C-alpha cells in the first residue's frame, strides 16, 4: 500500500471519528475546567449567590445588577495570594476583574451550597 493511500485511509477514519464524536457530544454540557482558577469560578457559579448588605448598597451606588455580578465572576480571575483557601468551613476568595475601565475586586465566601459576595471594591485607574 502506498503512502498516499495510507494517509487517505487515516484522514477518512479520522474525519468519520470526529463526526461521530460531534454527534454524541452535541447536546451535552461538557466543559474543560482543569485549571485552579477555572475550577473555583465554576464552583462559585454553580451555587446560589447571596449578597451582604454592604454589597447591596455598593451595587446600587455603582448601578450594577446581579446579572452583571454573575458575568464578572464568570470572566474574572481569582487572586490566590490574597485568598484564604485553607479556611474552614468556608473558603474566601478574592476575584479580580474590570468594570467600566476600572479595576474591580470581589470578596467571595464559598461555602457548601451558598456563595456569599461579602465586599466590592472599585479602583479608578
Amino acid at each position: 500500500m502506498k503512502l498516499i493511500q495510507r494517509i487517505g485511509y487515516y484522514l477518512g477514519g479520522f474525519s468519520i471519528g470526529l463526526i461521530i464524536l460531534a454527534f454524541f457530544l452535541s447536546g451535552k454540557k461538557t466543559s474543560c475546567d482543569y485549571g485552579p482558577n477555572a475550577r473555583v469560578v465554576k464552583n462559585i457559579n454553580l451555587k446560589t449567590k447571596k449578597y451582604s448588605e454592604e454589597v447591596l448598597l455598593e451595587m446600587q451606588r455603582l448601578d450594577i445588577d446581579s446579572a452583571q455580578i454573575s458575568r464578572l465572576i464568570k470572566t474574572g480571575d481569582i487572586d490566590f495570594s490574597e485568598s484564604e483557601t485553607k479556611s474552614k468551613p468556608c473558603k474566601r476568595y478574592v476575584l479580580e476583574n474590570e468594570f467600566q475601565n476600572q479595576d474591580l475586586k470581589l470578596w467571595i465566601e464559598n461555602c457548601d451550597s451558598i456563595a456569599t459576595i461579602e465586599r466590592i471594591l472599585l479602583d479608578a485607574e
Side-chain angles (χ1 to χ4, degrees):
M1 188 181 295
K2 295 180 183 176
L3 181 64
I4 239 9
Q5 286 178 323
R6 288 182 184 178
I7 292 173
Y9 281 123
Y10 172 78
L11 290 177
F14 187 72
S15 61
I16 290 171
L18 286 178
I19 292 169
I20 291 171
L21 189 63
F23 175 74
F24 283 116
L25 296 179
S26 64
K28 296 184 172 50
K29 294 181 182 176
T30 56
S31 64
C32 185
D33 299 326
Y34 292 116
N37 187 65
R39 285 193 320 234
V40 171
V41 168
K42 182 178 180 179
N43 186 290
I44 291 170
N45 275 324
L46 291 175
K47 296 179 180 175
T48 305
K49 290 174 194 61
K50 191 173 126 184
Y51 303 93
S52 69
E53 289 296 322
E54 178 186 340
V55 169
L56 291 173
L57 292 172
E58 191 68 14
M59 285 170 62
Q60 283 181 338
R61 187 182 75 76
L62 297 172
D63 196 28
I64 301 175
D65 62 357
S66 59
Q68 287 174 317
I69 294 288
S70 293
R71 185 177 46 78
L72 288 169
I73 291 171
K74 187 174 277 189
T75 60
D77 295 319
I78 302 292
D79 184 357
F80 287 100
S81 63
E82 285 188 52
S83 300
E84 299 173 17
T85 58
K86 305 281 187 211
S87 60
K88 300 274 181 173
C90 302
K91 298 176 180 175
R92 288 186 170 84
Y93 295 102
V94 178
L95 186 129
E96 297 177 340
N97 207 335
E98 191 174 291
F99 179 72
Q100 296 177 348
N101 297 326
Q102 296 177 344
D103 291 331
L104 177 100
K105 282 189 178 183
L106 294 171
W107 279 262
I108 302 170
E109 183 181 49
N110 190 18
C111 296
D112 288 335
S113 60
I114 295 175
T116 305
I117 290 92
E118 297 178 324
R119 238 173 92 200
I120 294 178
L121 179 65
L122 189 65
D123 289 331
E125 290 185 343

